[in-house]
Amino acid sequence: MGLLSRSRRKDAKEAVSPRKIDLESGDLADALTGDEAGTTEEALDFEKPEQNVGEGGEGDVAKGTTLSKRKTGFRMPKLFGKAEDGPEEMKEPMERMRWWELTFSIRGFENVTVDTLKLFWTVSLGSDNPKKHRNRVRLQTKFTSIFTLEKGKVFTADNPIVLYERKTFALCYKELEKHVVKVDMWRVSCWTFNEYYGVKKQKLSQIANRDPNMELRILRKLSRKQLADKKKAKSVADVALYRCTVNLEEIFDFDLFCENWTLELGRASPEFKQMKEERKRLTFTVPRDRRTLPGHRGYLGRGAASQTVEWNQQDGRFFWPNCGKFVFRGTRTHLQNSYFIVSVLTGKPPTFLANNATIAKMEKHAPAPHRVLGRCLLNLTSVLDMSVFQGKVKRFTPDYERYIVGDINGNVKCILRSKGMKEPELDFRTNRPEQLKTATTVSHLNPYERYLVVRVKKCEALPVADFDTGSSDPYLRCTWDNMVMLSPVVKQSLRPVFNQSFYFPVRVVFPELRMGSKAEKKYQDSILKYELTSKGHIQIQVWDDDVTSADCLGGCQVTLGDILNVRATQKRTLLGPLAAEKKDDEDENEFEAKQEKHNQWYEEPRSVRVYDGSKLGQSALANKDAALIHFEAYFYPDWAETLRFEDEVQEVDAESVWAKKEEEWNSRNMQKAEDYALPFPDSIGAKKPKEENMMQTADSLRRFPCIGLHPLTRIETPLMAFVSPIIIPEEWSFPAKLLEWVHCLSFEITQRQARIGLIPSDGWKDPEYVLARRKGAPQDHSVLLCSLLLGCKEDAYVVKGTVYSKDPLATMEKSDQLIEHTWVMTRENGWVTFWEPCSRQIFHLPNRYDPRKVKKKKLEQLAVKEEKEEEEQDDDADIERQQWEGEAEDCRVHLEDMESLPTVGRMPKPKTRSDKAKKKDEEPGRERLKRELIEQREGLPIAPKRKMLQEEQLVTWLPYDSIEVVFNDKNVWANRQNHHPACITYDLDDDDSSSEPAWERFLHAKDEETLHFQAICPNVSVQPELKPSIIDELQDDLRTEMMQNLQLYRGKKGMDTMFDHNEELMQQLRIFLDIHELWRQIDPDGPTAQRVLEEYKALPKDMPRDQMTEQQKFHRFVGDILKLRIWNRHGSPFFHSRKDYEKEQKHNWRTLEKLHGEFQKKEDSFPIKRGKKFKGFPVHFCTSDQESIRQYLMQIKEYKQIIDSDEEDVFYTIECRIIGRLGGILSVWLYVGIQEPQREADFLEE
């Protein structure tokens, strides 16, 4: 067999040798067959592409192998496709060959024995049971150096020890269960043979679906005699804990479809008019694999695909519906680490040329009359989760005003195909294996890019997140340039040692500024600085690990100026400090033997500027010690030494600027409150706007907040910086579904806020922080919802007001207290809509603002800007009007100052009437005076608008009692009208130069030019839904926990607990819970809901069910069980302006009726035990925390009645249903039912 296999390998090489193989396109992987692929893998060096290498065993590897050709024999070619494609397409989906990429590295290990061990490790990949299943993958066994480890000691590698680096092989999904990664532990002996000391096997199917950062328990290797002894075989001791990172990913062909791209030119650009008149077209440059990124080695890159779309239509809109198809080959990680470039071309082509489709198809690039207006670089980080992309189009110019051209957005739909498959597998129904997303390893990096390296060594004195264990499960979350990377979790530690490096590629959109170019140094003070500044700050956060929610243990923020302004340089590789410069602060034991030096590109030492950090920001959790984090950050390779950022405004100075602005704001609010108190002394608007002591509550205050504390730096930050537009998929942008998604975020409020009813200055959080924590206070829900609506192009604002609510911490009954509350407001076509995330309600207020003023304001701003540009060109127009000599400045006179005003001459006597006429008209005069006073009060700006109380504008009901400020990502507005939100207008675009503006701006036009702020998180990424396997595990755990809780509760009373969970009953309850889940996404103000409610009201209440039609039964179910009611008497404006929303709501109603039909089929013959009656109730939770759910359930009367039943012959049923949402948010349903014996009274009722 050896001779035959050797000759077959030789023939295969001869067959391949005359053929020219393209290493960039990945043809080598398809050309290699059988054992030839395994041999070639070892021959290629580090620079080989991952798709060019194949591992095989005994000739059975992938499509096109010699073995598969022998088996197929005679086939008719070109009848059902290519002959070599036939076998794989005809196989079952789980048996089709897939290509995989494996990377294995060691992070550390721990000795759990009582002896000092001198050991080394071996790692191999093969069949779990070679006697039963043939080994279809052959990789050489890898060996480590020798380590000496004392009893109980832990070894943590400074840099991961890489054993397998991007090794590829072919294996079907079915064979993953039969193949394992085997880790062997060998004990070194100086006098005898080495001892086979420990072993651990991990199935490839488990590796491909779990976190790549694993902790393996190495078990003691038993001899054959010990294995024969059952007692010894069962009690196998652990000898070590082995921490490693195993990246096992499938190689795909990703089909990328670019559709519906829109360009919005920036009105702030001085060339806006000229750019708007010219026609535009787009050029897309997309890589084909991980090695052909656009932007290096020439603009197009080696092998990058480029397509140019046609010119836009002459209708004033820059819109392109179809922009082409691209194919990317690689793993999910390769795709997410890649990017593409969109170039905007502008010009005035002849009409016959631009509108000729035939000529446009023949062109490879752009026609002659064109120029590059700007380019936009977009990362493919979230392409697998969301198809929406948005970015800034930038021009290559040192002029900052002309640098930003505009915004571009569109869709990139991604479809997966296993490598070699010509079409998507429509018959594949299950989920493909996918590992959790973590930090990028060195093997995934590109040697032609510059990287920002953030290396975190350890943390100290972290706060306690789990009070049961008195510890935390910390992990790192590092973000920069809209890229998020995570570290492995360190279990139960307050002083975790991470030794984790994060590698962020520094990508510049302009090819002229590529790494090492002359233009990079030429434009480092202009274009390069603009580009780096737009990427934002580096944020390092430490979080406590939890599947459903998380707690922030602290964080810090590093600016690029902190790194580039460092004076001294140090030697660093991409992996960290050089071996000669390492200084071990730990024990002086020799853990690691000297290893051979490698000449890899990432091990080349370079002189870089290194920023060392140690301060960790304060956490919301209590901590008696100051938390510390030890990390360093640098660029590899570094920029030119002359590239330095000017010293930015110090934190203290920036804080004082906003503090001074806040004082001016509060002084104006104080004066307005005094003016309000004169005519309405007992109203909410007359309360003081600023607290005088720490003991004051919301009952005595009416605050107008404008400043909050930064979550990481704890410096004063304007509220506008907390809001940032978030792009989400279109299917999640429907109002009812979007509000239901935000409502599923867990609610949590601090005890201080609950006690005094005031939102603290540190109570505001940015949306990325809220999404990472997956819980927050009402103001966090409002900021998140507003950010999502802004990303959907809505005119959205966060509203801060007050409501009357019961004290949640009160121990005794008392009247409602006034508390501060937040919600969201949107404006559309004269309607103002209030979105309440706490109760999942929407309130529509008609005719509350004039949309014509919005357009007028924009036109006025544009006209003012044009006039300003003309004035700058003409120096004579800049002469200011001189003030007359002796002229007094204009000042405002308040009502209480009227009496103290000086008078000229003698005061005229008021006209008086005779005593007789006075007595005669005494009563009518009082009425007249009263009427005049009332009319005078109604004419005040702070009085309720009379027209808002008319029938056509009167709202049904609002839960809010006052409104103080509204804000978005641009500004903050203070309400200078009546305090009640239903009695005022919302014309925020009125000119604020008037003496009595209805809404006063926090930042005026002059302030916007001098006071600059940046969003805390300008680019927020939303994580995908949790995997179905994780959700199923949570469901099972929650159901088991509730059953055990019920058993313990009844066991204390001396009663048994029996359960009935037959499949038919559980299926009925699942349908019932699906109905309730869908009901949460239905808008009750739609036309369908109104029609159903009218038909429900027309049904006779005493009508028997057997006489009802299916439609009438559905209407009765919706009215009696789901409790349908209309929220707004005037309906919803969403159904008039959004046709897609009306279509989506109709589809939800049809689905709801279909689910009711399925549930109705078995309602008469409900699957319960004989002689029993069934009752129960569903309850929805915004959290999956078992302790919180248990506490909530004990507060429900229905649940207490069920579990307190004195009957012995009862059966309980508990069903759990968890539905995943974007961002890892969960919608949790729990149904609790009981089957009780029927009695005569029950039959009489029937």
Side-chain angles (χ1 to χ4, degrees):
M1 289 297 295
L3 182 61
L4 293 176
S5 62
R6 197 178 301 115
S7 62
R8 184 170 65 250
R9 187 181 304 115
K10 181 179 179 181
D11 296 338
K13 290 182 179 179
E14 293 177 355
V16 175
S17 58
R19 177 185 173 186
K20 184 179 180 181
I21 299 173
D22 187 6
L23 293 178
E24 297 295 335
S25 61
D27 292 338
L28 180 58
D30 298 333
L32 298 180
T33 60
D35 293 334
E36 165 207 350
T39 306
T40 309
E41 187 275 328
E42 299 297 337
L44 296 177
D45 59 1
F46 171 77
E47 296 296 332
K48 64 185 180 300
E50 69 285 357
Q51 67 270 26
N52 300 342
V53 186
E55 301 283 350
E58 300 184 11
D60 188 8
V61 181
K63 68 180 184 65
T65 61
T66 307
L67 183 60
S68 62
K69 290 182 179 179
R70 288 179 180 177
K71 289 182 178 180
T72 53
F74 174 75
R75 288 193 304 272
M76 297 182 63
K78 298 184 180 181
L79 186 60
F80 299 99
K82 293 183 179 181
E84 59 269 23
D85 296 339
E88 294 301 327
E89 300 295 337
M90 294 170 59
K91 290 180 180 178
E92 292 295 328
M94 300 300 293
E95 297 180 357
R96 296 169 187 163
M97 280 297 174
R98 320 282 177 173
W99 284 89
W100 304 86
E101 181 182 272
L102 174 68
T103 298
F104 190 102
S105 59
I106 303 174
R107 293 186 287 111
F109 40 85
E110 178 182 356
N111 181 7
V112 297
T113 65
V114 295
D115 301 327
T116 299
L117 299 178
K118 190 174 183 180
L119 56 92
F120 68 91
W121 303 91
T122 65
V123 179
S124 59
L125 180 64
S127 175
D128 185 15
N129 191 345
K131 295 182 179 180
K132 293 184 178 180
H133 308 292
R134 185 175 57 179
N135 183 15
R136 298 183 180 275
V137 179
R138 286 186 179 178
L139 287 178
Q140 289 186 357
T141 302
K142 297 295 182 179
F143 298 81
T144 68
S145 302
I146 298 177
F147 302 90
T148 302
L149 207 59
E150 294 181 355
K151 177 185 67 174
K153 292 296 182 178
V154 180
F155 168 76
T156 303
D158 292 337
N159 295 302
I161 304 173
V162 181
L163 299 182
Y164 291 114
E165 186 173 5
R166 297 202 327 270
K167 302 297 182 182
T168 60
F169 57 89
L171 206 64
C172 65
Y173 291 149
K174 190 176 181 180
E175 292 292 332
L176 288 177
E177 190 71 23
K178 303 175 183 178
H179 287 71
V180 297
V181 170
K182 185 180 178 183
V183 179
D184 297 322
M185 178 179 176
W186 291 82
R187 189 172 183 179
V188 179
S189 177
C190 298
W191 311 106
T192 60
F193 294 105
N194 295 332
E195 181 184 358
Y196 192 2
Y197 200 70
V199 64
K200 178 63 178 179
K201 295 181 180 180
Q202 194 73 15
K203 293 184 178 180
L204 295 183
S205 59
Q206 297 177 349
I207 296 175
N209 288 282
R210 296 184 179 178
D211 192 339
N213 301 296
M214 297 184 295
E215 184 176 270
L216 305 179
R217 297 172 54 205
I218 306 300
L219 303 178
R220 184 74 166 87
K221 178 62 179 177
L222 301 180
S223 62
R224 293 184 178 180
K225 292 183 179 180
Q226 292 173 335
L227 289 175
D229 190 350
K230 295 183 179 180
K231 292 183 179 180
K232 292 185 178 181
K234 288 183 178 180
S235 57
V236 182
D238 298 341
V239 294
L241 289 178
Y242 188 82
R243 299 178 181 91
C244 59
T245 300
V246 186
N247 295 101
L248 180 62
E249 296 183 278
E250 184 180 354
I251 301 176
F252 295 98
D253 287 333
F254 299 94
D255 293 332
L256 306 176
F257 298 90
C258 300
E259 300 174 347
N260 301 328
W261 283 80
T262 305
L263 173 66
E264 296 180 3
L265 298 176
R267 295 181 178 273
S269 176
E271 301 177 356
F272 174 73
K273 275 191 174 181
Q274 178 185 353
M275 293 188 299
K276 190 174 182 181
E277 294 174 356
E278 296 178 342
R279 301 181 70 174
K280 307 289 185 296
R281 69 186 313 183
L282 305 179
T283 297
F284 289 80
T285 306
V286 182
R288 289 193 175 99
D289 51 45
R290 71 173 189 89
R291 292 174 55 84
T292 59
L293 296 179
H296 68 273
R297 293 192 178 181
Y299 169 60
L300 296 180
R302 300 190 329 182
S306 177
Q307 293 186 22
T308 303
V309 300
E310 66 277 1
W311 294 95
N312 69 300
Q313 301 297 325
Q314 291 180 330
D315 54 359
R317 296 172 61 246
F318 302 109
F319 176 74
W320 297 268
N322 299 312
C323 301
K325 172 188 174 183
F326 303 87
V327 180
F328 181 93
R329 172 168 288 188
T331 65
R332 291 184 176 93
T333 302
H334 295 156
L335 179 67
Q336 293 171 343
N337 291 339
S338 302
Y339 65 94
F340 67 101
I341 294 177
V342 182
S343 303
V344 180
L345 309 180
T346 183
K348 295 183 178 180
T351 306
F352 74 92
L353 182 63
N355 297 337
N356 193 326
T358 304
I359 296 179
K361 290 182 180 179
M362 295 174 60
E363 294 170 340
K364 294 183 179 179
H365 300 289
H370 82 279
R371 60 187 175 90
V372 178
L373 182 62
R375 296 187 175 96
C376 177
L377 186 147
L378 298 170
N379 292 315
L380 291 168
T381 306
S382 59
V383 68
L384 296 174
D385 306 323
M386 291 186 296
S387 61
V388 184
F389 286 80
Q390 184 179 19
K392 296 286 185 181
V393 179
K394 304 171 184 176
R395 189 204 309 261
F396 189 77
T397 175
D399 186 2
Y400 185 74
E401 294 184 355
R402 300 173 61 244
Y403 177 68
I404 301 296
V405 176
D407 297 328
I408 190 170
N409 57 80
N411 296 331
V412 179
K413 295 183 179 179
C414 181
I415 298 178
L416 301 179
R417 288 186 293 112
S418 293
K419 177 184 173 182
M421 299 292 177
K422 303 301 180 183
E423 298 293 337
E425 300 172 80
L426 301 179
D427 56 346
F428 190 81
R429 305 297 182 186
T430 59
N431 295 320
R432 297 179 184 270
E434 181 180 2
Q435 290 184 317
L436 297 178
K437 184 180 178 181
T438 56
T440 305
T441 58
V442 180
S443 60
H444 294 111
L445 303 183
N446 193 303
Y448 304 108
E449 288 188 304
R450 176 183 279 109
Y451 290 92
L452 169 65
V453 183
V454 180
R455 179 176 172 79
V456 182
K457 185 178 181 181
K458 62 181 180 179
C459 295
E460 296 178 355
L462 294 179
V464 176
D466 188 356
F467 295 99
D468 295 335
T469 60
S471 183
S472 301
D473 299 330
Y475 70 93
L476 298 172
R477 176 188 174 94
C478 192
T479 60
W480 184 67
D481 193 18
N482 199 25
M483 290 179 282
V484 181
M485 296 187 183
L486 308 177
S487 75
V489 180
V490 179
K491 295 294 185 181
Q492 296 186 0
S493 175
L494 299 180
R495 301 184 60 188
V497 177
F498 291 104
N499 284 339
Q500 178 68 41
S501 296
F502 301 100
Y503 306 104
F504 295 96
V506 183
R507 290 164 177 166
V508 183
V509 65
F510 305 107
E512 296 85 354
L513 299 179
R514 62 184 178 272
M515 188 172 62
S517 63
K518 295 182 179 180
E520 185 181 60
K521 190 173 183 179
K522 179 180 179 182
Y523 296 101
Q524 67 180 9
D525 293 332
S526 55
I527 303 177
L528 183 58
K529 188 170 293 185
Y530 303 155
E531 184 74 9
L532 293 178
T533 305
S534 65
K535 298 180 182 298
H537 303 321
I538 308 164
Q539 292 188 356
I540 306 174
Q541 296 176 333
V542 186
W543 290 83
D544 177 66
D545 179 53
D546 198 341
V547 178
T548 58
S549 62
D551 292 309
C552 184
L553 305 180
C556 61
Q557 182 172 278
V558 181
T559 64
L560 297 183
D562 295 336
I563 304 175
L564 298 177
N565 293 339
V566 175
R567 299 297 177 181
T569 61
Q570 303 179 34
K571 289 288 185 179
R572 288 291 187 275
T573 67
L574 193 64
L575 300 176
L578 301 181
E581 296 180 357
K582 294 181 182 178
K583 296 180 180 181
D584 296 332
D585 298 332
E586 310 294 337
D587 297 336
E588 297 181 357
N589 294 332
E590 183 179 356
F591 294 117
E592 184 177 0
K594 294 183 179 180
Q595 300 181 4
E596 297 181 0
K597 294 184 178 180
H598 300 279
N599 296 323
Q600 301 290 359
W601 65 273
Y602 49 79
E603 295 180 331
E604 180 181 354
R606 295 176 181 267
S607 297
V608 297
R609 289 166 283 187
V610 182
Y611 172 80
D612 293 320
S614 60
K615 184 179 180 181
L616 194 65
Q618 184 178 357
S619 170
L621 301 175
N623 191 8
K624 62 179 181 179
D625 300 323
L628 298 176
I629 180 172
H630 301 276
F631 72 95
E632 62 180 19
Y634 57 91
F635 289 98
Y636 183 89
D638 201 356
W639 305 91
E641 294 184 1
T642 54
L643 177 61
R644 298 182 182 275
F645 277 35
E646 297 179 0
D647 294 336
E648 300 179 357
V649 179
Q650 299 294 327
E651 294 182 358
V652 179
D653 297 338
E655 189 173 0
S656 62
V657 169
W658 291 111
K660 183 179 179 180
K661 188 66 179 176
E662 185 183 19
E663 291 180 2
E664 298 176 358
W665 177 259
N666 288 332
S667 63
R668 295 198 301 269
N669 295 330
M670 183 68 74
Q671 189 61 55
K672 290 294 182 180
E674 295 176 358
D675 296 345
Y676 203 110
L678 288 176
F680 305 102
D682 299 329
S683 64
I684 296 178
K687 299 179 184 295
K688 293 184 179 180
K690 187 176 181 180
E691 58 266 36
E692 298 177 353
N693 54 68
M694 299 296 294
M695 300 302 295
Q696 283 186 290
T697 62
D699 284 324
S700 59
L701 294 173
R702 188 195 180 201
R703 302 192 308 168
F704 295 79
C706 60
I707 299 295
L709 293 183
H710 195 287
L712 296 181
T713 61
R714 313 292 292 182
I715 65 173
E716 292 187 341
T717 308
L719 291 182
M720 303 87 72
F722 290 89
V723 181
S724 179
I726 303 176
I727 304 297
I728 57 175
E730 185 179 0
E731 59 268 18
W732 287 95
S733 63
F734 297 113
K737 190 172 184 178
L738 180 63
L739 186 59
E740 192 271 340
W741 170 35
V742 177
H743 178 261
C744 289
L745 196 73
S746 299
F747 286 85
E748 184 184 65
I749 189 171
T750 61
Q751 292 186 357
R752 182 172 180 270
Q753 182 176 346
R755 183 178 66 256
I756 65 177
L758 299 174
I759 301 175
S761 57
D762 59 349
W764 300 94
K765 300 293 186 295
D766 59 279
E768 187 172 51
Y769 183 95
V770 177
L771 286 173
R773 195 164 181 253
R774 294 193 289 275
K775 59 182 177 181
Q779 62 266 21
D780 299 332
H781 288 71
S782 300
V783 170
L784 175 60
L785 180 58
C786 180
S787 301
L788 293 170
L789 289 171
L790 288 174
C792 298
K793 305 298 182 181
E794 296 289 341
D795 188 16
Y797 307 84
V798 178
V799 184
K800 181 267 168 186
T802 58
V803 297
Y804 280 101
S805 174
K806 292 187 179 295
D807 186 2
L809 301 179
T811 58
M812 57 184 295
E813 291 292 335
K814 65 177 184 178
S815 59
D816 294 348
Q817 67 171 355
L818 195 67
I819 64 171
E820 290 186 340
H821 184 64
T822 59
W823 63 96
V824 178
M825 178 188 76
T826 57
R827 303 189 305 170
E828 180 180 0
N829 298 329
W831 290 72
V832 170
T833 301
F834 289 156
W835 306 62
E836 180 49 64
C838 292
S839 61
R840 199 176 49 83
Q841 288 182 302
I842 300 178
F843 305 97
H844 301 289
L845 287 70
N847 303 322
R848 286 310 193 275
Y849 83 102
D850 189 359
R852 293 174 297 180
K853 291 185 179 180
V854 181
K855 297 181 180 180
K856 183 180 178 181
K857 183 67 176 179
K858 292 181 179 179
L859 295 175
E860 289 178 355
Q861 291 177 352
L862 186 61
V864 168
K865 186 176 181 180
E866 293 177 355
E867 292 178 1
K868 186 178 180 181
E869 294 175 357
E870 294 176 359
E871 290 176 358
E872 290 177 355
Q873 297 176 0
D874 188 4
D875 298 336
D876 297 336
D878 295 336
I879 301 176
E880 297 181 357
R881 183 177 64 88
Q882 298 181 357
Q883 192 175 15
W884 292 353
E885 184 178 357
E887 179 185 7
E889 296 183 358
D890 295 338
C891 61
R892 182 181 177 187
V893 180
H894 299 281
L895 197 60
E896 64 272 12
D897 300 331
M898 294 292 292
E899 297 179 358
S900 60
L901 290 177
T903 58
V904 180
R906 183 178 59 85
M907 286 285 293
K909 292 183 179 181
K911 296 181 179 180
T912 58
R913 302 179 64 181
S914 60
D915 295 340
K916 295 182 179 179
K918 193 173 184 180
K919 291 180 180 179
K920 183 178 181 181
D921 300 336
E922 183 175 5
E923 198 67 26
R926 290 181 178 178
E927 295 294 334
R928 186 172 60 255
L929 181 60
K930 182 179 180 180
R931 186 178 67 255
E932 291 176 357
L933 291 176
I934 292 176
E935 291 178 355
Q936 184 180 2
R937 289 179 58 179
E938 290 180 352
L940 294 175
I942 57 178
K945 305 291 184 183
R946 179 178 289 271
K947 64 178 181 179
M948 300 302 168
L949 304 178
Q950 298 176 1
E951 182 67 22
E952 63 274 8
Q953 298 186 9
L954 192 65
V955 296
T956 307
W957 173 74
L958 285 180
Y960 316 113
D961 294 282
S962 73
I963 180 172
E964 281 73 59
V965 297
V966 300
F967 65 91
N968 58 7
D969 58 335
K970 299 292 189 300
N971 211 333
V972 179
W973 291 264
N975 177 26
R976 300 310 184 195
Q977 307 172 79
N978 188 263
H979 65 274
H980 200 278
C983 304
I984 59 176
T985 59
Y986 296 86
D987 292 309
L988 305 179
D989 305 281
D990 287 342
D991 189 5
D992 57 355
S993 61
S994 60
S995 59
E996 294 290 341
W999 292 89
E1000 185 176 354
R1001 294 170 177 263
F1002 176 60
L1003 296 181
H1004 300 279
K1006 296 181 180 179
D1007 297 329
E1008 293 177 354
E1009 297 178 358
T1010 57
L1011 295 177
H1012 302 284
F1013 65 91
Q1014 184 180 8
I1016 296 176
C1017 290
N1019 299 309
V1020 182
S1021 59
V1022 181
Q1023 299 299 320
E1025 305 172 13
L1026 291 180
K1027 288 186 177 182
S1029 58
I1030 299 177
I1031 293 179
D1032 293 341
E1033 185 177 353
L1034 290 174
Q1035 288 182 167
D1036 297 338
D1037 293 344
L1038 181 57
R1039 185 188 299 110
T1040 303
E1041 178 66 23
M1042 294 301 104
M1043 291 171 59
Q1044 292 177 356
N1045 180 58
L1046 187 57
Q1047 288 176 336
L1048 291 174
Y1049 183 85
R1050 290 179 59 85
K1052 291 180 180 179
K1053 296 184 176 183
M1055 294 182 291
D1056 295 333
T1057 305
M1058 296 178 291
F1059 294 95
D1060 181 14
H1061 288 155
N1062 65 82
E1063 185 59 30
E1064 293 186 8
L1065 176 59
M1066 302 303 286
Q1067 181 63 25
Q1068 283 293 99
L1069 295 182
R1070 293 190 199 103
I1071 297 176
F1072 189 71
L1073 293 180
D1074 289 340
I1075 291 175
H1076 281 76
E1077 174 65 20
L1078 182 59
W1079 179 249
R1080 291 171 54 87
Q1081 302 178 15
I1082 289 182
D1083 193 337
D1085 292 322
T1088 307
Q1090 295 179 359
R1091 177 181 56 82
V1092 171
L1093 184 60
E1094 291 175 359
E1095 296 181 1
Y1096 164 72
K1097 292 180 178 179
L1099 282 175
K1101 294 185 178 181
D1102 55 349
M1103 186 176 183
R1105 288 185 55 84
D1106 53 357
Q1107 298 180 7
M1108 293 183 183
T1109 62
E1110 294 297 328
Q1111 195 78 10
Q1112 291 175 336
K1113 290 180 181 179
F1114 174 66
H1115 297 158
R1116 176 63 61 85
F1117 179 84
V1118 171
D1120 293 343
I1121 304 300
L1122 300 180
K1123 306 295 183 183
L1124 171 62
R1125 70 179 184 89
I1126 303 299
W1127 287 345
N1128 298 274
R1129 57 187 298 184
H1130 299 290
S1132 172
F1134 298 152
F1135 292 91
H1136 303 289
S1137 58
R1138 311 177 189 183
K1139 298 299 181 183
D1140 294 341
Y1141 183 54
E1142 183 177 2
K1143 183 179 178 181
E1144 189 257 353
Q1145 285 295 306
K1146 289 182 178 179
H1147 173 72
N1148 288 344
W1149 277 103
R1150 288 193 297 267
T1151 307
L1152 183 67
E1153 189 171 1
K1154 182 179 179 181
L1155 289 174
H1156 174 263
E1158 295 179 6
F1159 181 77
Q1160 189 71 25
K1161 291 179 181 178
K1162 293 187 178 181
E1163 185 177 6
D1164 297 333
S1165 58
F1166 204 71
I1168 60 176
K1169 295 185 179 297
R1170 181 175 298 179
K1172 304 290 183 181
K1173 64 176 182 179
F1174 183 87
K1175 68 176 183 179
F1177 66 94
V1179 57
H1180 181 267
F1181 299 98
C1182 298
T1183 178
S1184 62
D1185 182 63
Q1186 298 175 0
E1187 182 65 27
S1188 301
I1189 292 177
R1190 186 164 51 248
Q1191 294 177 1
Y1192 293 146
L1193 281 175
M1194 296 303 294
Q1195 300 175 7
I1196 300 176
K1197 294 181 180 180
E1198 292 85 351
Y1199 181 74
K1200 289 285 292 181
Q1201 292 175 359
I1202 288 178
I1203 63 177
D1204 288 336
S1205 176
D1206 296 333
E1207 298 283 347
E1208 288 285 350
D1209 188 19
V1210 295
F1211 293 86
Y1212 290 95
T1213 301
I1214 296 179
E1215 173 59 5
C1216 179
R1217 188 86 166 90
I1218 299 180
I1219 300 94
R1221 296 283 185 265
L1222 287 180
I1225 301 173
L1226 300 175
S1227 177
V1228 182
W1229 283 96
L1230 197 67
Y1231 190 95
V1232 181
I1234 184 174
Q1235 300 181 33
E1236 297 177 327
Q1238 285 186 329
R1239 296 178 177 84
E1240 294 184 5
D1242 300 329
F1243 292 102
L1244 294 177
E1245 290 180 2
E1246 295 180 1

